[in-house]
Amino acid sequence: MDPVELLTHHAERLTHVEHRAAAPARHAPWPAWVEPQVREAFVGAGVEQLWSHQAEALQALHSGHDVVVATGTASGKSLVFQVPALDALARGRDGAALQGHRAPTVLYLAPTKALAADQLRRLRDVGDLARAATVDGDNSREERVWARDHARYVLTNPDTLHHSVLPGHERWSRLLRGLRYVVVDECHHYRGVFGAHVAHVLRRLLRLCAHHGSAPQLVLSSATIAQPGDFARRLTGRDVVAVTDDGSPRPARSIALWEPPLVGAPHSPPSAAYSPAPPPVRRSAVSEAAQVLTDLVIGGTRTLTFVRSRRGAEQVATMAQDLLAEVHPELGPRVATYRGGYLPEERRELEERLRSGDLLGLAATNALELGIDVAGLDAVLTVGFPGTRAALHQQLGRAGRSGGDALGVLIATDNPLDTYLVHHPEALLGAPIEATVFDPDNPHVLGPHLAAAAQELPLDEADFERFGPRAEEGVLALEEAGWLRRRTAGWYWTRRDRASDLADLRSSGGAPVQIVDAATGRLVGTVDAGTADSAVHEGAVYVHQGEVHVVDEYDVTDGVAVVRVEDPEYTTAARSTTEIAIVHGERSHDWGDATITTGTVDVTSQVVSFSRRTRPDGRLLSEEPLDLPERTLRTRAVWWTLRLGAVAEALGGPDGELSEIDVGGAAHAAEHAAIGLLPLLATCDRWDIGGVSTAMHADTGTLTVFVYDGHPGGAGFAERGFEVAAHWLRVTREAIASCECSTGCPSCVYSPKCGNGNEPLDKAGAVRLLDALLAGAPPEAQEPTS
């Protein structure tokens, strides 16, 4: 079927449909300064004229400025950095002309290996103008050595730059001393702790370029970023010209917000302890997506489905394949999954099948969101709000790249933020892109990079300005710890180990855990260390490319999970405990009976058990204990307290008495909803943050609700919550109160990541508690913003 026809068949599930008209292109001629062979290569690939923003950006680069291009998806941003890069390489190609001069080189950085590989393919599409090569974890040693010694256009990622190129900069001196351009593609991906790490990786790179005698220009690109000039300046430490007026043609696009229907409550056996009535549930968003994907594939519509979790992506593809097997068996093999943890050869095969059109349907995690540029997609389904409006626009923008009309559908999952957004389209489609949050001065980020920089090249006082206002403090702390030693020429690294190993760029918690097949010894895949305790504990069910495994053994020390192929009639979910202690509060606001504070906390968590539940009705079969270590995280948090008298007035019964379960349930429900709604205001999702609530916290002596960053040292998300606390908590209160359920459900106060199994929760109590909290809050127009 025509993808937009889909909407007419499911009107009862749609909460909003928005049609956006097509927009014509605005053209500009090729600049006269571009080398003829470069221009001819692009003209031969079909680029006879430029779009206006491409010409504007090229002129700014030609004038010597650093540039960030922030225009829509499929707006030709790659051309902006490819043309000047290839122009520089073409001018330096003649060996005779290079006598006494450095051969020009280019460094391209992408957040994913797949995007770097795709850029290499696109470079080759415009001819053999660059001796280009990718350098990443998928290379053989021979390939990496060739790239180091011979490549003039090196495509890599921040991780490889951090761990290999910068520590070995003397071996990479040929690349660094000739560097003319550094490209930072899809730069909106650098937010939170990852963004802070990449900011310092770039500062270290530019420092070493100066040491080797080069002064490269920077070219950044993003389809979805707010205040691109300010963002690029924070990321790079340099002034950057922003090009934002998009001159590319826009296809007609329909955007639909879709809410699965309520289907009743799952069966669950009674509990001897607190046992509320089972909440109503909506039909699974995964099931909805699988059905829609099936319908579109049958109609010949090339469709990409983004799913938040690896397991969800596997389920969507498997369910669609099963549905197709019943009606069009020949189409089943044309649906597949793409996610992190796959082996390199598996990823490359899927990417080629998608580009060639062999795949009609693909269920992917955000491993593909920044992965490859695919022309010819007709529709994109996004299962669950991806955490930010920027990410949603990035995903939905992948439809319509062949010039035809496009369909984008956000299918709401059963959580507070999704429910709020599909019923408040103005907060989603009418609101600006979020400001990107990251903090390069986070000492947990800054310290390791100062150490790495010192090992690369001794630090001196002139470097303090490059690394920010806390750099001197960080260097002196490292000196006091004995990791740096001051000599006449500066501060030197004193240890034998690699300083770059101190920084975990993606905050994964360490090296990935290897998942190994017990029968064959084959490496099945990997899982991040930070999530391994929950994902591959003994007894866990693990899915890889539709094949179901059960974990027989999980070795925490060696980072290995041994699995066997088995498809049990149940799923598993880990249960954890979390405790929080205040280290120190830094800023606070008094709201009458309430106080809002931000500061540093220690969070101690432990996976203690897991449950087995039947498929598909979710009936509890058993709960098994686990013996896994405690994990302690020092991070940033925002927390609010409410005077006990105000709590009693809000939650006390007719006799004024309070039940600990009632108070704890109300606070717990308010905490869940607040975590679910913070991503509306900060560039995070609920998996970036955590929470703890208690009727009486030892450090405050009263009811306290914490929301904390799930990264060492913090990521800026909790502090953003503090800055907009009144608006954030008012939206939270509205989302709970307006939910159509009676006692609470996943659309308002139930959380998919709750370590306590969503017990106890009190929806009505949460509303009364938030009313008491907000009674003394400032009007939103007067709320502090810093």
Side-chain angles (χ1 to χ4, degrees):
M1 65 172 70
D2 181 289
V4 180
E5 277 185 48
L6 173 77
L7 305 182
T8 63
H9 293 280
H10 297 281
E12 74 285 355
R13 285 166 159 79
L14 300 178
T15 61
H16 179 78
V17 178
E18 182 171 304
H19 301 288
R20 297 182 176 179
R26 288 180 281 124
H27 292 288
W30 276 91
W33 55 265
V34 177
E35 278 284 293
Q37 58 182 313
V38 175
R39 182 172 61 250
E40 289 165 7
F42 280 91
V43 170
V47 186
E48 296 186 3
Q49 299 182 82
L50 301 180
W51 291 321
S52 58
H53 67 275
Q54 293 174 323
E56 178 187 353
L58 289 176
Q59 184 55 48
L61 286 166
H62 187 61
S63 300
H65 298 289
D66 297 328
V67 170
V68 57
V69 185
T71 54
T73 53
S75 61
K77 293 183 291 296
S78 295
L79 179 145
V80 170
F81 52 76
Q82 288 175 350
V83 166
L86 295 176
D87 182 80
L89 298 184
R91 292 175 188 274
R93 171 174 281 184
D94 185 354
L98 290 175
Q99 291 183 355
H101 299 280
R102 295 181 174 94
T105 58
V106 176
L107 180 65
Y108 169 94
L109 297 175
T112 66
K113 298 175 186 177
L115 183 56
D118 190 60
Q119 277 292 321
L120 179 62
R121 178 188 60 81
R122 295 171 68 183
L123 278 172
R124 290 170 175 167
D125 286 346
V126 294
D128 187 23
L129 298 177
R131 206 158 53 223
T134 57
V135 176
D136 56 40
D138 292 347
N139 290 127
S140 66
R141 182 181 180 279
E142 292 75 17
E143 289 171 331
R144 186 172 293 209
V145 168
W146 185 92
R148 188 187 68 202
D149 294 343
H150 302 289
R152 301 175 66 197
Y153 198 126
V154 172
L155 304 99
T156 187
N157 51 65
D159 312 78
T160 302
L161 185 63
H162 164 67
H163 286 293
S164 297
V165 177
L166 300 184
H169 66 94
E170 294 294 351
R171 294 191 302 275
W172 288 89
S173 61
R174 184 195 61 85
L175 171 72
L176 296 174
R177 70 172 178 260
L179 209 54
R180 291 287 303 278
Y181 292 98
V182 174
V183 179
V184 185
D185 202 3
E186 302 287 5
C187 61
H188 63 272
H189 195 60
Y190 304 126
R191 60 178 178 83
V193 172
F194 186 36
H197 278 297
V198 172
H200 286 298
V201 170
L202 290 173
R203 284 159 174 76
R204 287 164 49 205
L205 169 65
L206 295 173
R207 176 175 179 258
L208 291 175
C209 285
H211 170 71
H212 287 279
S214 66
Q217 286 180 256
L218 303 178
V219 193
L220 300 89
S221 78
S222 172
T224 48
I225 195 167
Q227 302 171 331
D230 291 340
F231 166 80
R233 188 178 304 111
R234 283 189 292 125
L235 186 67
T236 65
R238 292 172 32 167
D239 289 333
V240 181
V241 172
V243 175
T244 59
D245 186 12
D246 192 344
S248 64
R250 302 282 88 190
R253 186 182 305 276
S254 296
I255 300 175
L257 306 183
W258 180 300
E259 185 174 46
L262 286 168
V263 293
H267 174 72
S268 182
S271 168
Y274 180 79
S275 182
V281 297
R282 296 191 180 277
R283 184 169 187 258
S284 162
V286 165
S287 299
E288 294 275 285
Q291 183 62 66
V292 175
L293 176 60
T294 300
D295 292 342
L296 291 170
V297 168
I298 290 173
T301 300
R302 293 185 63 194
T303 305
L304 180 57
T305 303
F306 284 108
V307 191
R308 299 299 307 280
S309 70
R310 294 180 175 189
R311 180 177 297 184
E314 298 277 7
Q315 289 174 334
V316 167
T318 300
M319 293 169 69
Q321 289 165 350
D322 291 344
L323 291 169
L324 288 166
E326 298 176 4
V327 288
H328 288 282
E330 73 282 2
L331 293 178
R334 300 186 70 182
V335 174
T337 312
Y338 186 108
R339 63 168 176 80
Y342 281 2
L343 302 178
E345 56 270 22
E346 294 175 320
R347 294 198 306 268
R348 299 293 178 259
E349 179 186 356
L350 287 167
E351 290 160 12
E352 182 54 39
R353 290 183 65 198
L354 184 60
R355 276 192 293 264
S356 68
D358 178 54
L359 283 178
L360 279 176
L362 188 67
T365 62
N366 64 359
L368 190 71
E369 178 186 333
L370 301 174
I372 57 176
D373 191 8
V374 184
L377 290 177
D378 305 301
V380 168
L381 312 176
T382 293
V383 183
F385 181 60
T388 65
R389 289 183 288 271
L392 179 67
H393 289 301
Q394 181 78 17
Q395 291 181 357
L396 298 185
R398 289 194 169 270
R401 291 194 169 201
S402 62
D405 293 353
L407 171 65
V409 183
L410 170 63
I411 301 176
T413 58
D414 218 357
N415 75 60
L417 182 55
D418 283 23
T419 301
Y420 181 86
L421 290 175
V422 296
H423 290 283
H424 294 80
E426 73 284 354
L428 182 65
L429 303 178
I433 297 299
E434 305 91 341
T436 302
V437 175
F438 66 93
D439 178 16
D441 296 326
N442 178 339
H444 293 264
V445 174
L446 175 61
H449 286 284
L450 289 172
Q455 188 173 36
E456 291 154 6
L457 195 68
L459 288 164
D460 58 35
E461 293 181 357
D463 291 316
F464 293 163
E465 183 177 357
R466 182 187 300 277
F467 287 102
R470 300 193 68 180
E472 182 175 6
E473 174 189 348
V475 168
L476 295 178
L478 290 167
E479 181 184 10
E480 184 178 355
W483 291 25
L484 297 184
R485 179 176 300 151
R486 188 171 190 178
R487 297 175 181 166
T488 304
W491 284 268
Y492 286 74
W493 176 248
T494 63
R495 298 164 64 95
R496 292 185 177 183
D497 46 345
R498 286 167 50 97
S500 59
D501 291 340
L502 297 172
D504 182 5
L505 262 60
R506 298 181 189 258
S507 300
S508 60
V513 171
Q514 308 293 305
I515 302 168
V516 178
D517 187 293
T520 65
R522 176 179 63 92
L523 178 64
V524 176
T526 61
V527 64
D528 291 340
T531 59
D533 286 3
S534 297
V536 291
H537 56 76
E538 290 184 10
V541 174
Y542 175 80
V543 182
H544 185 91
Q545 283 206 338
E547 189 173 54
V548 183
H549 305 75
V550 174
V551 179
D552 283 335
E553 180 183 351
Y554 171 41
D555 188 322
V556 177
T557 303
D558 292 338
V560 175
V562 179
V563 301
R564 69 178 187 276
V565 176
E566 183 181 336
D567 191 4
E569 294 300 317
Y570 60 82
T571 61
T572 57
R575 185 184 183 100
S576 62
T577 61
T578 304
E579 296 180 354
I580 194 165
I582 297 172
V583 178
H584 55 84
E586 295 180 4
R587 292 186 290 160
S588 65
H589 299 310
D590 289 326
W591 291 356
D593 291 326
T595 301
I596 310 295
T597 306
T598 185
T600 300
V601 297
D602 281 338
V603 182
T604 302
S605 60
Q606 183 179 23
V607 175
V608 296
S609 65
F610 72 99
S611 61
R612 293 186 178 95
R613 291 184 178 271
T614 58
R615 298 184 302 177
D617 62 357
R619 181 169 54 86
L620 180 65
L621 293 175
S622 65
E623 183 154 337
E624 307 290 336
L626 291 168
D627 183 19
L628 291 169
E630 289 186 342
R631 313 283 188 180
T632 298
L633 171 73
R634 177 159 290 189
T635 187
R636 306 281 296 174
V638 55
W639 62 91
W640 53 265
T641 60
L642 190 61
R643 187 177 58 83
L644 290 178
V647 175
E649 291 176 15
L651 300 178
D655 55 3
E657 293 185 359
L658 285 173
S659 158
E660 185 175 348
I661 284 182
D662 291 338
V663 177
H668 194 196
E671 171 217 324
H672 279 186
I675 289 171
L677 272 297
L678 182 56
L680 185 63
L681 305 169
T683 49
C684 66
D685 60 46
R686 71 187 307 156
W687 302 97
D688 288 321
I689 52 181
V692 174
S693 56
T694 175
M696 179 76 73
H697 192 270
D699 293 335
T700 64
T702 189
L703 180 147
T704 310
V705 175
F706 297 85
V707 175
Y708 61 85
D709 292 347
H711 303 278
F717 306 136
E719 287 175 275
R720 174 64 175 163
F722 173 78
E723 292 165 359
V724 296
H727 178 59
W728 169 34
L729 295 171
R730 285 186 177 108
V731 168
T732 299
R733 189 263 181 211
E734 179 186 350
I736 300 172
S738 61
C739 184
E740 61 189 292
C741 73
S742 58
T743 59
C745 71
S747 295
C748 57
V749 299
Y750 279 64
S751 170
K753 54 182 287 192
C754 179
N756 295 316
N758 286 298
E759 294 185 8
L761 291 174
D762 183 347
K763 173 185 176 179
V767 173
R768 295 197 300 272
L769 201 60
L770 288 166
D771 283 339
L773 175 72
L774 290 163
E780 290 186 29
Q782 299 176 18
E783 186 171 10
T785 57
S786 64

